Amino acid sequence: MEYNDQIRNRLKRIEGQLRGVLRMIEEDKDCKDVITQLSASRSAIDRTIGLIVSTNLVHCMKEEKNSNGKDSEALIKEAVELLVKSR
């Protein structure tokens, strides 16, 4: 699978959020604010995982049509397992 600029940009944004959290901790910011930012980072990570899994599933489904690889049901099951594992 190729990771496009959209995924790279999301990860860079998450990286920036986490740097911000570290800065907040160093500045002894209120724990509610730190938790809020960590939750936002986790949510962004979850959305990125979903994007990667769904993009990969679409890619694999297209390849499966062109070859006699895994059937569609197995590909979908594998994608769901990846999403469950990520939680």
Side-chain angles (χ1 to χ4, degrees):
M1 175 177 158
E2 290 184 28
Y3 297 99
N4 60 25
D5 288 339
Q6 179 186 19
I7 292 171
R8 285 185 188 89
N9 290 339
R10 282 175 178 255
L11 291 172
K12 288 177 184 179
R13 201 172 313 123
I14 293 166
E15 180 183 31
Q17 285 178 305
L18 292 175
R19 281 196 199 122
V21 170
L22 284 170
R23 192 170 31 256
M24 291 173 74
I25 290 171
E26 290 168 358
E27 295 171 357
D28 291 325
K29 297 289 183 179
D30 186 66
C31 78
K32 291 179 191 175
D33 296 331
V34 172
I35 296 302
T36 298
Q37 289 305 311
L38 283 172
S39 294
S41 299
R42 179 173 54 194
S43 179
I45 290 169
D46 288 342
R47 286 191 309 271
T48 304
I49 289 170
L51 177 64
I52 290 171
V53 170
S54 65
T55 302
N56 186 52
L57 177 60
V58 169
H59 177 75
C60 289
M61 296 285 275
K62 286 179 183 176
E63 279 188 2
E64 189 265 333
K65 282 185 177 180
N66 297 330
S67 67
N68 287 332
K70 294 180 181 178
D71 64 12
S72 298
E73 188 175 322
L75 290 170
I76 293 169
K77 183 179 178 185
E78 185 178 336
V80 170
E81 287 173 359
L82 278 172
L83 288 173
V84 170
K85 182 191 256 187
S86 72
R87 292 304 296 158

